[in-house]
Amino acid sequence: MRRRMTALVLLSALAFVVQGWGGLAPIRAAGQQTVHLTAWTIGPDEPSYYRKDNLLSAADALNKQLAAEGSGIRVTLDATFATGGGQTWGAYKQRFVLAAQSGKAPDIVATGNEDIAAWAAAGYVIPLDTYVKQYKQFADVIPSLWNATKFDGRIYAIPQDVEARPLYFSMPFLAKLGWSQDKIAGLPKAIEAGQFTLTDMLQTAKEAQDKGLVLKGYGWWIRPINGPAYYMYYEAFGGKMTDASGKLLLDTKALRGDYSFFHDAVFTYSVTPKDIIGTDWNSWHGAVVGKQVLFTQCGTWCWAQWIQQYKMPADEVWKTYGFALVPSGTKGGRPVTLSHPIVYMISKSSPHADLAARLLALATTPQLNARHAVTSGHLAVLTDEAQVPAYAQDTFAKDTIYMLRYTTFLPNDALFGTYDQAIWEGLSAVVSGKMTADQAVQTVTQQLQTNLSDHVVIR
């Protein structure tokens, strides 16, 4: 019944969006003219399809506005939505780069904020500061999110969504371990207060395995491929990715704590399989919805995936999993999460940047963004979004939005890819047993000194 009510509220809200004009600047043309816009969007999780569909709704609204203004312009939008596993990202980004290099990029592209610096520096996308000032819809964006869209002091992207990356824990397994209901319910607060650390998590997972409640290697699972989530563990030990001047930063003490934690998870406590990296995503999610894993880390969108894509009944998800911030690496420390905002950018190849920007303004409304957030397990990017009934009535959205107080973002640095590759290779070597934590830290330090020189601060 709650889902039916949510759908009705969203439909009513969308009717308003299509009719409401939002005070956008008129675009006039003599005679009739059809402008064809293209947009590429990506999940890769299937429930995030509104990244595309919101643009289609905005195109309908734009054509109504143009007609009311007496303009002869009409817009058609060809939008695509890429889905699949983690490898989808690499192919998608490479496709855009090749298209941009040949001057055939789409008008609009949705991607992660970490691409802003490289694509802006290469001239693939255009700055949007003028449009952000022009259209009042953009004034509703939560101010801190603009920090994730800037490169060299200018705005290059419009936030489409944001997320947290919780630690999920199996409440039935903890109950079988002897935890009281009050202790289970209080775990998120204990983590927030720094009372339950990453080491406590490993020890709890090992205890569950030793008592035969959880299979060996199923105590704690992390994502099976590289991604922003891994930096949470570096930050959990006090690490930062940039210094006060904005330069890339490698904190070797924090990295050693990070790598040592992963070594302990795999080899000391044996709660994480040695071959976790490279596990097929469907198998990974299958173990979670199969209620086999005690602790796991995944984004808020995974909650929607488990229900919609992997067909775990919603009431079973709620009965099985609790969620919290990722614990600190030290007692009394600050817990962490990391957000990887998906953003819309306008390519330099676009001959219709003004119309593309107006389209993005019409897609940046509380109603449209709320339907995406509720459907796909993401969080609000607009100040007024949380007041939309569908969002305000969604328990998961309400219970996770506090995590944004603890969030960080990947740096918008054109050379971040080099930094990221070195740290990932070091972690992979530790998890596979090819290097100790100390050896991996030494290797990463040498690589960054060689490849980034004075572009990175090492301490």
Side-chain angles (χ1 to χ4, degrees):
M1 177 60 73
R2 187 173 74 175
R3 285 185 174 276
R4 294 195 187 98
M5 290 300 295
T6 299
L8 289 173
V9 171
L10 285 171
L11 288 172
S12 298
L14 288 175
F16 170 81
V17 172
V18 171
Q19 294 170 14
W21 296 359
L24 299 178
I27 295 177
R28 302 185 182 279
Q32 294 295 318
Q33 179 184 352
T34 299
V35 174
H36 300 284
L37 297 177
T38 56
W40 292 357
T41 69
I42 184 171
D45 53 303
E46 293 179 9
S48 289
Y49 56 85
Y50 278 122
R51 288 180 183 149
K52 179 189 81 169
D53 288 7
N54 281 356
L55 294 178
L56 295 173
S57 295
D60 290 340
L62 177 55
N63 282 327
K64 290 181 182 295
Q65 286 187 11
L66 293 170
E69 293 166 6
S71 172
I73 292 177
R74 295 295 180 270
V75 169
T76 62
L77 177 64
D78 178 15
T80 61
F81 177 63
T83 61
Q87 301 305 319
T88 304
W89 269 115
Y92 175 85
K93 294 180 181 187
Q94 181 65 13
R95 181 183 172 215
F96 175 80
V97 168
L98 293 175
Q101 290 173 343
S102 63
K104 298 178 180 179
D107 298 279
I108 295 168
V109 61
T111 191
N113 76 299
E114 76 277 9
D115 294 319
I116 292 171
W119 292 0
Y124 300 155
V125 294
I126 63 172
L128 304 177
D129 304 76
T130 299
Y131 300 121
V132 169
K133 293 176 182 177
Q134 181 178 359
Y135 295 124
K136 69 178 185 180
Q137 281 86 348
F138 298 139
D140 194 33
V141 172
I142 294 171
S144 61
L145 291 178
W146 288 119
N147 295 330
T149 72
K150 293 179 180 178
F151 173 68
D152 201 20
R154 305 185 74 179
I155 294 172
Y156 279 86
I158 305 300
Q160 190 275 327
D161 74 12
V162 71
E163 86 297 339
R165 294 167 184 262
L167 170 73
Y168 293 98
F169 52 92
S170 169
M171 295 183 289
F173 277 142
L174 292 178
K176 291 178 181 178
L177 200 55
W179 286 37
S180 68
Q181 290 303 310
D182 286 345
K183 184 176 180 180
I184 295 171
L187 181 56
K189 286 295 184 182
I191 289 173
E192 196 171 5
Q195 297 167 357
F196 185 90
T197 67
L198 288 173
T199 298
D200 293 325
M201 181 190 72
L202 296 183
Q203 291 173 345
T204 303
K206 185 177 187 302
E207 182 184 359
Q209 290 184 177
D210 290 346
K211 291 185 176 180
L213 301 175
V214 179
L215 293 173
K216 183 178 179 180
Y218 283 70
W220 176 69
W221 278 23
I222 185 67
R223 61 182 286 135
I225 62 172
N226 190 14
Y230 281 97
Y231 286 100
M232 294 189 296
Y233 301 90
Y234 169 67
E235 293 180 333
F237 288 94
K240 295 183 182 300
M241 289 178 271
T242 57
D243 69 359
S245 70
K247 275 190 174 184
L248 290 174
L249 169 67
L250 180 69
D251 184 325
T252 55
K253 180 180 178 181
L255 189 65
R256 185 172 291 104
D258 173 15
Y259 284 176
S260 295
F261 162 74
F262 276 92
H263 175 273
D264 287 346
V266 175
F267 298 103
T268 304
Y269 295 95
S270 301
V271 297
T272 305
K274 185 178 179 180
D275 59 355
I276 186 71
I277 294 175
T279 300
D280 174 73
W281 266 118
N282 286 327
S283 299
W284 191 97
H285 284 293
V288 176
V289 301
K291 306 178 185 179
Q292 296 175 276
V293 184
L294 172 51
F295 293 108
T296 189
Q297 190 283 307
C298 198
T300 50
W301 69 86
C302 292
W303 191 268
Q305 275 189 287
W306 296 333
I307 295 169
Q308 297 180 42
Q309 188 173 341
Y310 293 96
K311 309 304 179 184
M312 187 177 186
D315 60 342
E316 283 298 305
V317 179
W318 280 103
K319 290 177 184 176
T320 305
Y321 292 110
F323 39 85
L325 292 159
V326 170
S328 170
T330 57
K331 285 288 185 185
R334 180 180 171 86
V336 296
T337 190
L338 186 144
S339 296
H340 173 233
I342 299 300
V343 297
Y344 292 127
M345 291 189 273
I346 298 176
S347 73
K348 190 174 183 179
S349 305
S350 174
H352 307 293
D354 288 349
L355 278 170
R358 184 166 171 178
L359 181 73
L360 291 181
L362 283 168
T364 307
T365 68
Q367 294 79 16
L368 289 178
N369 281 50
R371 77 173 182 179
H372 165 73
V374 170
T375 301
S376 64
H378 286 85
L379 303 179
V381 296
L382 304 176
T383 301
D384 291 338
E385 188 175 339
Q387 307 308 315
V388 175
Y391 192 99
Q393 296 166 13
D394 187 87
T395 303
F396 184 71
K398 288 191 297 182
D399 288 354
T400 53
I401 196 166
Y402 83 95
M403 295 181 179
L404 293 183
R405 298 199 302 268
Y406 295 86
T407 202
T408 57
F409 307 106
L410 296 179
N412 285 342
D413 189 293
L415 297 180
F416 178 72
T418 301
Y419 176 96
D420 177 65
Q421 186 63 27
I423 290 179
W424 171 248
E425 288 176 356
L427 178 64
S428 299
V430 170
V431 171
S432 66
K434 295 177 180 178
M435 288 186 184
T436 65
D438 285 340
Q439 289 171 336
V441 170
Q442 184 178 6
T443 299
V444 170
T445 300
Q446 292 172 345
Q447 287 181 344
L448 293 185
Q449 287 174 331
T450 299
N451 297 330
L452 293 180
S453 186
D454 61 356
H455 196 81
V456 63
V457 175
I458 296 176
R459 65 183 186 199

